[in-house]
Amino acid sequence: MMQAWRNDEVGARFGAAADLYEAHAPIQRMAAERLASDIALLPLPPHPRILEIGCGTGLLTRALARRIGPADWTVTDIAPGMLAAARQGAALPGIARYQLLDGEHPAGLPGGYDLICSSLAVQWFADLNAGLGRLAALLARGGCLAVATLAAGTFQEWQTAHAAAGFAAATPPYPSPAAILPDCGNLMGGVRSERLIQDHPDGLHFLRGLKGIGATTPAPGRPPLGAAQLRRVLAAFDEQGAGVTYHLAYGMWKKANNRPAGVFVTGTDTGIGKTLVSAILARAWNADYWKPVQTGVAEEPGDTETVAQLAGLPPERLHLPAYVLQAPLSPWAAATLEDTVVDATSIVPPATQAPLIVEGAGGLYVPIDDSHMMIDLIARLDMPVVLAARSGLGTINHTLLSLEALKRRGIPVLGVVMSGPLSAGNKEAIERFGEVRVLAEIPPLSKVDAQTVATLASGIPPLAECLQTLGGAPAVAG
């Protein structure tokens, strides 16, 4: 009953602000555009079924329509005023319906959505992860849940001003990005974050902005301050500079599809040790091996032969590349030289009984053909990634950039394998700032042979254990 009252209160305050909302919503507009840009990178089907939660006046709706085009839209909000404002916007391409809905408890919806999205609305859920889990249950297989929300540290300056005046702020508590995880066992994905600072002339301007967007419902159990108390808080706020920090968390998760069990091995660069990592994983997980696109065979044997020797794989555990090219260049460049046509969309994984180790060519943004990069192939194959990285100088930047690119596409990362002289500092930085597990560190090797690979493989965690950390593991054969 209390939650229903709170939902009514939140809806009423946002609805009353519908006419003025966009004039006071620069952060909301920025978050919607960035979330829409991330969503546009997802492999959505033509004319996708889209459910939007908390549409407000339509900032995300319009940003998506510009990028995605025709779709089957179900646009919802808890506030009638906001829903009416969104409906009055430009007609959406495709089929559009507008519906009053409590997004935390989405009763009566048919499900089967290719995309469920929300920008700066789900932070009002009483139980964020449970609410996200209920939304995820409405996804089609292979469908994506994409949200922008507020994270811990938001409004820290306002809270500090309250503490300086001897009070506790009524702002809601927000979770850390790492704590945002939908209660749904068959999702894979993660959360990336950013920090934005909005400067105000003074505290009154900040409060008017919150009122302008309707975000004035206090946290449960936190009554608003009296006039004299508020003046003390405003004085403390103005004294510290009147700037406000927003910590934004962008969550992107995909509902498990009929993907092959296993991983895609890619790297932060070329010559990074992907083939050795692939051999170690194939040995550790008793897996098959497949290199979809092999280049450079004019100068050295293909990676399939190397992995077979190092991992001790019999012929039946090896799968032929879809394309073999002579020049040691990107597939796109090599195919151009050899007057060959490579089509990334024609690459289909082999049927396997065992887990499958797929090794890419180069890094994430190596072009395969005229319009597809390696990251596009990873997304289409719908497999988690193991990222091969160096251990030395520069690896933090290269690794974090690669992890950020994968997160933006909603591609889950099983872990990182670092090669080179051991560096505890670089390992800690990658795990902390990349929010990822370092599965193994490969020291400099005087000899690389089957025995070396077997020794290194013995330290790799089981595949099923690694997959469980992604929020849901498929059945693993072998």
Side-chain angles (χ1 to χ4, degrees), residues 293-392:
V293 184
Q294 175 70 66
T295 62
V297 296
E299 297 185 0
E300 56 186 26
D303 294 327
T304 302
E305 180 181 336
T306 301
V307 170
Q309 294 174 352
L310 292 177
L313 297 182
E316 62 269 19
R317 305 295 291 276
L318 305 170
H319 302 275
L320 295 176
Y323 296 96
V324 178
L325 300 161
Q326 301 296 312
L329 302 170
S330 71
W332 170 74
T336 301
L337 284 179
E338 298 168 31
D339 198 25
T340 298
V341 176
V342 172
D343 179 5
T345 63
S346 71
I347 298 175
V348 178
T352 64
Q353 296 301 312
L356 181 64
I357 306 300
V358 182
E359 182 185 347
L364 294 172
Y365 285 97
V366 167
I368 299 176
D369 58 23
D370 286 340
S371 55
H372 297 92
M373 305 285 187
M374 194 59 60
I375 194 170
D376 298 310
L377 177 61
I378 297 171
R380 198 168 63 77
L381 293 182
D382 195 18
M383 300 179 74
V385 160
V386 170
L387 182 66
R390 293 187 178 90
S391 63

Side-chain angles (χ1 to χ4, degrees), residues 388-403:
R390 293 187 178 90
S391 63
L393 187 65
T395 192
I396 296 174
N397 182 65
H398 295 162
T399 305
L400 295 184
L401 284 173
S402 295
L403 293 172

Side-chain angles (χ1 to χ4, degrees), residues 7-394:
N7 288 346
D8 290 343
E9 178 74 7
V10 170
R13 295 194 185 205
F14 275 105
D19 291 341
L20 301 174
Y21 182 89
E22 295 196 18
H24 296 275
I27 298 295
Q28 288 73 13
R29 180 176 288 103
M30 202 175 305
E33 291 290 337
R34 294 185 184 181
L35 180 62
S37 294
D38 288 354
I39 290 171
L41 297 172
L42 297 174
L44 296 174
H47 208 280
R49 296 189 65 217
I50 298 174
L51 169 66
E52 183 183 354
I53 300 298
C55 66
T57 56
L59 292 175
L60 178 61
T61 319
R62 298 194 298 270
L64 278 178
R66 291 196 304 270
R67 292 166 171 84
I68 291 179
D72 183 329
W73 307 84
T74 300
V75 181
T76 74
D77 200 281
I78 199 172
M82 288 291 189
L83 199 64
R87 190 195 296 266
Q88 290 168 6
L92 296 175
I95 302 169
R97 62 190 65 81
Y98 294 82
Q99 180 175 339
L100 278 174
L101 182 76
D102 174 2
E104 186 175 1
H105 301 278
L109 294 176
Y113 296 102
D114 302 303
L115 170 69
I116 299 177
C117 56
S118 179
S119 183
L120 294 188
V122 300
Q123 66 268 15
W124 294 100
F125 287 5
D127 186 332
L128 175 60
N129 289 341
L132 292 177
R134 284 187 283 271
L135 291 175
L138 297 173
L139 289 170
R141 291 190 66 83
C144 296
L145 173 63
V147 303
T149 188
L150 298 179
T154 297
F155 302 143
Q156 181 61 54
E157 298 86 350
W158 186 241
Q159 295 164 2
T160 299
H162 276 72
F167 306 113
T171 52
Y174 301 116
S176 68
I180 301 173
L181 182 65
D183 291 342
C184 187
N186 56 350
L187 291 184
M188 301 179 71
V191 179
R192 69 180 184 91
S193 59
E194 71 172 339
R195 184 180 68 168
L196 298 176
I197 297 177
Q198 185 178 21
D199 291 320
H200 297 274
D202 53 42
L204 280 175
H205 186 272
F206 166 61
L207 290 181
R208 290 191 190 104
L210 291 182
K211 185 176 181 180
I213 63 172
T216 55
T217 306
R222 298 283 182 84
L225 299 178
Q229 295 171 323
L230 181 58
R231 282 194 294 270
R232 288 169 57 188
V233 172
L234 288 171
F237 184 73
D238 292 347
E239 185 177 348
Q240 68 188 18
V244 176
T245 299
Y246 290 80
H247 285 265
L248 301 179
Y250 298 90
M252 191 79 70
W253 300 274
K254 188 170 186 178
K255 193 167 189 177
N257 208 334
N258 296 321
R259 54 184 168 82
V263 299
F264 194 109
V265 177
T266 188
T268 59
D269 199 352
T270 190
I272 206 74
K274 296 187 302 296
T275 302
L276 176 57
V277 170
S278 297
I280 293 169
L281 297 180
R283 178 64 184 258
W285 296 335
N286 195 26
D288 287 15
Y289 171 82
W290 180 48
K291 177 95 171 182
V293 184
Q294 175 70 66
T295 62
V297 296
E299 297 185 0
E300 56 186 26
D303 294 327
T304 302
E305 180 181 336
T306 301
V307 170
Q309 294 174 352
L310 292 177
L313 297 182
E316 62 269 19
R317 305 295 291 276
L318 305 170
H319 302 275
L320 295 176
Y323 296 96
V324 178
L325 300 161
Q326 301 296 312
L329 302 170
S330 71
W332 170 74
T336 301
L337 284 179
E338 298 168 31
D339 198 25
T340 298
V341 176
V342 172
D343 179 5
T345 63
S346 71
I347 298 175
V348 178
T352 64
Q353 296 301 312
L356 181 64
I357 306 300
V358 182
E359 182 185 347
L364 294 172
Y365 285 97
V366 167
I368 299 176
D369 58 23
D370 286 340
S371 55
H372 297 92
M373 305 285 187
M374 194 59 60
I375 194 170
D376 298 310
L377 177 61
I378 297 171
R380 198 168 63 77
L381 293 182
D382 195 18
M383 300 179 74
V385 160
V386 170
L387 182 66
R390 293 187 178 90
S391 63
L393 187 65

